[in-house]
Amino acid sequence: YLLCASGDFVKVYSVTTEETLRLMGGHADLVTGIQLNPHNHMQLYSSSLDGSIKLWDFMDGIPIKTFTVGCKLLALYTLASAEDSVFVVIPKKGERDTFQLVSVKLTKGAGQDLEAKELSVVLDGVGASPKQIAFGREGEYVVSVKEVNLEVYFFKQKLLNRFSVRSMKTKGGDNQFSCVACHPTEDCIATGHADGKIRLWRNFHHRKEYTYSTLHWHHDIVMDLAFSMEGTRLLSGGVESVLVQWHNESSCQKDFLPRLGSPIEYISMSSDGALCCTLHTDNRITIINSNLRFSRSIQGLIKSRDVKTGLVVDPRTKALVMNGEPGHLQFYCLQSDQQLFSLDIVQRQYIHEAGLKQSDLVKVAFSAQGTWLATVEEREEVTDPELELKLWFYEEETQSFKLNTRINTPHDNHITDMCFRDMGELEDDSLILVTTGRDCVFKVWVMVEDTDPEGKYAQQTVSWSCDFVGSYHNYQATNCCFSEDGSLLAVSFEETVTVWDSVTWDLKCTFCHPPGNIRNICFGRLTCSKYLIGATDYGFLCCWNLLTCALEWSAHLNIVVLQPDPLSEHIAAVSWLSKESSLFVFKPNEPRPIYIQRNLCKEKILLAAFVPRDEPETTGSEKYLWLRRSQLLFLTDTQELMTLSTKPLEERLTPSSKQLAVEESLPVTPFSLLLGKHRRQQSQEDIDLGKLVVHNKHEQASPAVRELLHTPAHVLPSASFLCPIFINSLLISKENKSAEEVADEVEMESEKTEDDSDEERDVTEMEQEDTSHMELLGEMTCKLSKSQEKELRKIRKMDYSWISAF
């Protein structure tokens, strides 16, 4: 297992499959540290900024204990020698930006929520980063680095030694400490520095006789260090995206694992030393073998510097699409919380150098079925920007997008918006792309067929070209969108919204609500398709009726995000006022919102998107009915992706041990197939007999079978103990009558009744003969004699289950 702190949660990944096995939640703020319980490796400690320490059974995802410390916890450390204590970094009271390393005594008690107020200061003036503190061999000492100072505190001697390096920058070097790691078996300290050097400290028990040696390969700051379990190898990482392995503390013996994609922030070793993992700045975890070979990668949502493309949903995969690595589009799966794939749009090598003007991805749009993808990339220049519009076609054979058309300088200035006409793509003629730009025009792009006359066989290919150019009083075009049926196109020009016929490109009408420019526009859907909604940067939300060409209603709200739900009439509007974001959900035909969430978050929400659900979600609350078919996501200015949930946190994070797994979710094994066949055959026999059958005892004793199948293997008794119990649960009790006995009794009673009712049977046969002539052709039924019915009942009682084995 791989355990990782992620926001307010702790995630448990499978190292072999890369899947998220469990999501453990309960902290009210950012999780700042996780450590295995040194006395029970099936348990985990976690610390958070909410001031609590939680003890988890991460195998089942159950919180065991919660210890309330009462102040922000910035880092967490555990020692095997400290039985009932952990170490945390907390802010020093009364002083700003000053932190302390303290020992917290974990109270023993019967309850689940306990207070841990007994704190002992170990070191004062430590750094806030977890990488700046490390514990030495067998927990005999603790090391802290900050700026140019190194401190070593010995627990038994209660001795504190301080060491310093030169603070001045010489020959372009910077001696400031960045991280520290301790040798697991020897008295050796490794420190990383801002100039890329690594120092190995020894003999630090003495204040003057200490020594250190220097290793140097990194050209910039050393981000993290980690020793192997036996201490023969030292791993280092930095901004070069290269993992360096140093052997025997020698600068001549080192190995490299290059091209890891992004700078390395953290390095962690597995307890058996077989694997190590690196955490990167692009929110990716790389799992590496002990021989320094790439094994697996777990890619989360990449935090881009600026999400210029907005939040877009891929119609094919329902993945969230946005800026990823520089020049790339990332396809992020919400269900697995992992990246599906990354598409290189710019197709140029990105150079990590400040101030260098490079091409970046700024706009993206999908067609209705996800067959076509349009992207815009630009490079900022002093005079005029370099623009490039690309059209990509999805190939079923390769399951990827292939570049179809490249258009240089589609507009003379920045492209502000673009959209496809959403008409289901039933015909190629209906597929249209519209782009708007600051050059005061909008352009319509259509597909044209090209024939290659020079080829041996005249091949028809498809490309895109400009079909129409529209403008309005030389105003800058800012937004565009099509109506649901694709018959109308709305384009905003500063303060005015224009509506165009998408067939003849005639201007139909204009709407205006001064003062203020139009910030967002969208059409209503389904029963509200006759409305057009717009938001101005002056703080008004307007709804116009397309049939009457008049303003239907307006509201004084500073709307920054306007997002329609593609599967319903609902529209989500996010306002920003008094340093808080609020959410309003409404239907255009009803000016009163159906849902209001004040103070949704303290950060400013920049983008939003509705993502269709695979299956409609059942909710008991009426106020969340608008979320049944779609999920609403937000992206804040701090690059946090959030969503609204219809269920409370406790229900969403119910531990797996409290949820009985249904039979359909069990792995397909020979035993489960055998058990399933046995149950299906028994139920089928019950239906065929059509009589009251006493079920066998193994169905009544299903808890015994479930206990055997669902109990973790490491806590199960021996097989010799479980086998008799399991076999007995499948046996039939003598006191209960079997299905055959019930059938025999019924047959005996029927034979006795037949002797006493000969006259009634004769009358019944006469009635059947009279009605047989009235049956239609093809519906004739065969009447069985008394002997044939007896023979049929005997055949039904026979056990044919052995045939299924073949």
Side-chain angles (χ1 to χ4, degrees), residues 53 180 212 271 355 391 491 614 637 735 769:
I53 299 173
V180 63
Y212 67 79
S271 57
L391 279 303
V491 182
D614 295 331
D637 54 357
E735 64 213 30
E769 289 177 0

Side-chain angles (χ1 to χ4, degrees), residues 250 516 662:
S250 172
V662 295

Side-chain angles (χ1 to χ4, degrees), residues 287-408:
I287 302 174
I288 302 166
N289 294 323
S290 57
N291 58 356
L292 218 63
R293 293 293 181 267
F294 174 84
S295 176
R296 298 180 185 277
S297 178
I298 302 174
Q299 177 67 69
L301 182 65
I302 297 178
K303 285 190 174 183
S304 179
R305 294 174 302 173
D306 187 12
V307 184
K308 300 177 181 178
T309 60
L311 296 183
V312 186
V313 179
D314 179 14
R316 286 180 171 270
T317 61
K318 295 184 176 63
L320 206 60
V321 182
M322 67 187 85
N323 290 99
E325 299 177 29
H328 289 67
L329 268 183
Q330 63 170 323
F331 290 70
Y332 171 70
C333 179
L334 296 168
Q335 287 73 27
S336 62
D337 190 22
Q338 292 186 23
Q339 185 186 100
L340 295 181
F341 62 95
S342 179
L343 181 62
D344 188 1
I345 301 296
V346 176
Q347 298 179 344
R348 297 177 188 173
Q349 182 65 36
Y350 186 82
I351 303 173
H352 294 272
E353 184 177 337
L356 186 63
K357 303 292 184 181
Q358 301 184 73
S359 296
D360 198 8
L361 188 61
V362 294
K363 297 293 177 184
V364 61
F366 284 92
S367 60
Q369 305 299 323
T371 308
W372 288 92
L373 167 67
T375 61
V376 176
E377 57 192 71
E378 67 178 31
R379 184 170 68 175
E380 291 283 354
E381 294 293 344
V382 178
T383 54
D384 54 349
E386 293 184 6
L387 300 175
E388 196 167 32
L389 173 65
K390 293 180 179 178
L391 279 303
W392 308 73
F393 179 74
Y394 187 83
E395 286 189 339
E396 294 289 348
E397 295 80 9
T398 60
Q399 294 289 300
S400 63
F401 286 94
K402 182 180 179 181
L403 183 61
N404 174 269
T405 306
R406 185 198 307 264
I407 303 171
N408 293 318

Side-chain angles (χ1 to χ4, degrees), residues 303-589:
K303 285 190 174 183
S304 179
R305 294 174 302 173
D306 187 12
V307 184
K308 300 177 181 178
T309 60
L311 296 183
V312 186
V313 179
D314 179 14
R316 286 180 171 270
T317 61
K318 295 184 176 63
L320 206 60
V321 182
M322 67 187 85
N323 290 99
E325 299 177 29
H328 289 67
L329 268 183
Q330 63 170 323
F331 290 70
Y332 171 70
C333 179
L334 296 168
Q335 287 73 27
S336 62
D337 190 22
Q338 292 186 23
Q339 185 186 100
L340 295 181
F341 62 95
S342 179
L343 181 62
D344 188 1
I345 301 296
V346 176
Q347 298 179 344
R348 297 177 188 173
Q349 182 65 36
Y350 186 82
I351 303 173
H352 294 272
E353 184 177 337
L356 186 63
K357 303 292 184 181
Q358 301 184 73
S359 296
D360 198 8
L361 188 61
V362 294
K363 297 293 177 184
V364 61
F366 284 92
S367 60
Q369 305 299 323
T371 308
W372 288 92
L373 167 67
T375 61
V376 176
E377 57 192 71
E378 67 178 31
R379 184 170 68 175
E380 291 283 354
E381 294 293 344
V382 178
T383 54
D384 54 349
E386 293 184 6
L387 300 175
E388 196 167 32
L389 173 65
K390 293 180 179 178
L391 279 303
W392 308 73
F393 179 74
Y394 187 83
E395 286 189 339
E396 294 289 348
E397 295 80 9
T398 60
Q399 294 289 300
S400 63
F401 286 94
K402 182 180 179 181
L403 183 61
N404 174 269
T405 306
R406 185 198 307 264
I407 303 171
N408 293 318
T409 317
H411 285 261
D412 295 333
N413 208 332
H414 294 281
I415 293 178
T416 55
D417 199 8
M418 67 176 178
C419 64
F420 279 95
R421 182 165 68 176
D422 188 358
M423 293 185 65
E425 299 177 20
L426 298 178
E427 299 179 0
D428 292 340
D429 296 339
S430 66
L431 194 58
I432 293 174
L433 175 68
V434 174
T435 59
T436 59
R438 294 183 184 174
D439 55 354
C440 305
V441 298
F442 72 90
K443 293 186 177 182
V444 179
W445 308 86
V446 297
M447 285 191 297
V448 294
E449 292 185 354
D450 300 330
T451 304
D452 184 12
E454 298 179 359
K456 185 177 181 181
Y457 302 102
Q459 250 185 2
Q460 284 190 343
T461 59
V462 175
S463 62
W464 291 74
S465 65
C466 184
D467 181 64
F468 178 78
V469 178
S471 62
Y472 184 77
H473 293 295
N474 205 28
Y475 293 149
Q476 287 187 357
T478 53
N479 298 278
C480 63
C481 66
F482 278 99
S483 60
E484 186 178 14
D485 60 356
S487 61
L488 297 177
L489 169 68
V491 182
S492 63
F493 291 89
E494 297 183 8
E495 294 186 356
T496 307
V497 180
T498 59
V499 180
W500 305 74
D501 189 329
S502 64
V503 177
T504 60
W505 300 117
D506 294 333
L507 179 62
K508 292 297 183 181
C509 61
T510 60
F511 301 107
C512 187
H513 194 283
N517 294 332
I518 302 296
R519 182 182 285 167
N520 299 294
I521 56 172
C522 69
F523 280 95
R525 290 181 174 271
L526 301 178
T527 60
C528 302
S529 58
K530 64 178 181 179
Y531 297 102
L532 176 64
I533 297 89
T536 68
D537 57 9
Y538 201 75
F540 280 96
L541 178 64
C542 307
C543 177
W544 292 284
N545 192 320
L546 297 173
L547 300 181
T548 62
C549 295
L551 180 66
E552 191 79 7
W553 54 264
S554 65
H556 190 49
L557 291 171
N558 184 29
I559 301 298
V560 294
V561 176
L562 192 65
Q563 186 65 38
D565 183 4
L567 300 180
S568 69
E569 302 94 342
H570 302 106
I571 297 177
V574 180
S575 68
W576 173 251
L577 186 63
S578 302
K579 296 184 178 180
E580 69 177 37
S581 296
S582 300
L583 172 65
F584 301 88
V585 180
F586 64 94
K587 292 183 178 180
N589 58 353

